Amino acid sequence: MEQTRLQKQMDFIVEMDKTKQIVRQTYLSDGSRKENDAEHAWHLALMTYLLREYAEKEIDITKTMLMVLIHDLVEIDAGDTYAYDEKGNLDKEEREKKAAARIFPILPIDQAQELQKLWEEFEENQTPEAKFAHTMDNLQPLLLNDASGGKSWQEHQVELTQVLKRNEHTKEGSQVLWDYARECIDKNVERGNIRLVNIPKE
């Protein structure tokens, strides 16, 4: 018996509950535990709405909020790859594409294609919406690291060069928010939360 459209949508909704089980490396602001993917996505969507006035170019706010809500759904299969995990990042793209090929088709074909296309747009990082979404994705863990006293940075002995590399495109989404982020980074270097090694010249 062929599944109805509604049943496919319900199956996808239940499948998405698994994002609550994907633990990231970033701690909550109080440092009590690490956040999960669902919490991360919700936080990004709220940030996107509140900070949209700082986008470099005008963005479709609904599209951008949906983009940040779905950008990590593939981690249900692929797992969370820590930003500074060099080995894990080598096959990240392959793992996530395979996950997308399984996860999005749970939906009716029109919605599956819509979300797949939106996820690919985020990954390609070329449109104003994708660039601002990436700015949010980079800024949020930085804010939580700062609030938790650099707990994750210290745990992984993160260096300044790594943080700057991670954020090399952040300003493309918002120069204002990158300036804020850079002040936050410098503050944490001074506090010893980010290791000062081989500072690149800007």
Side-chain angles (χ1 to χ4, degrees):
M1 181 177 176
E2 185 179 351
Q3 281 185 306
T4 65
R5 178 179 180 85
L6 177 58
Q7 187 58 55
K8 289 180 179 180
Q9 292 166 329
M10 292 300 183
D11 289 347
F12 183 82
I13 288 167
V14 172
E15 183 74 7
M16 293 308 98
D17 186 65
K18 294 178 181 177
T19 60
K20 300 172 186 176
Q21 301 171 20
I22 308 301
V23 179
R24 294 167 47 80
Q25 291 302 309
T26 306
Y27 285 88
L28 302 185
S29 58
D30 65 358
S32 60
R33 65 171 174 83
K34 294 176 179 178
E35 69 174 354
N36 62 50
D37 270 359
E39 293 167 330
H40 173 65
W42 160 80
H43 214 179
L44 292 187
L46 182 61
M47 287 173 61
T48 298
Y49 176 78
L50 295 175
L51 302 175
R52 66 191 187 279
E53 65 195 83
Y54 305 110
E56 283 299 295
K57 295 183 179 179
E58 186 175 351
I59 60 171
D60 179 329
I61 187 62
T62 303
K63 177 183 178 181
T64 313
M65 290 176 72
L66 180 57
M67 186 180 288
V68 297
L69 283 170
I70 69 153
H71 81 290
D72 278 341
L73 297 187
V74 293
E75 293 185 358
I76 289 173
D77 288 358
D80 175 62
T81 304
Y82 186 48
Y84 307 117
D85 178 0
E86 293 183 9
K87 184 178 179 180
N89 276 287
L90 291 177
D91 66 346
K92 176 185 176 184
E93 182 177 354
E94 180 183 349
R95 286 185 284 112
E96 293 191 344
K97 284 183 176 180
K98 183 178 179 181
R102 182 194 75 83
I103 292 170
F104 293 124
I106 295 173
L107 283 164
I109 189 168
D110 60 318
Q111 291 184 323
Q113 291 175 344
E114 179 185 6
L115 294 194
Q116 174 85 33
K117 183 178 178 181
L118 196 59
W119 178 75
E120 290 173 354
E121 182 177 336
F122 174 83
E123 291 297 310
E124 292 165 2
N125 195 25
Q126 295 299 313
T127 64
E129 287 80 12
K131 288 179 183 296
F132 195 70
H134 273 273
T135 295
M136 297 296 97
D137 196 30
N138 291 342
L139 179 61
Q140 188 260 4
L142 195 151
L143 293 175
L144 292 185
N145 260 301
D146 179 54
S148 65
K151 193 166 182 177
S152 180
W153 285 326
Q154 290 183 19
E155 189 174 282
H156 293 278
Q157 298 186 329
V158 173
E159 300 175 4
L160 177 58
T161 51
Q162 294 175 293
V163 179
L164 295 180
K165 177 67 175 176
R166 166 73 174 168
N167 284 276
E168 63 183 341
H169 297 295
T170 300
K171 64 184 177 183
E172 295 176 10
S174 173
Q175 182 67 52
V176 170
L177 296 179
W178 165 240
D179 290 342
Y180 184 91
R182 186 59 206 256
E183 289 179 7
C184 184
I185 291 168
D186 291 342
K187 177 177 61 178
N188 280 278
V189 169
E190 292 175 7
R191 292 176 177 174
N193 296 330
I194 298 173
R195 298 175 67 193
L196 188 57
V197 179
N198 297 325
I199 314 172
K201 293 182 179 180
E202 293 189 342

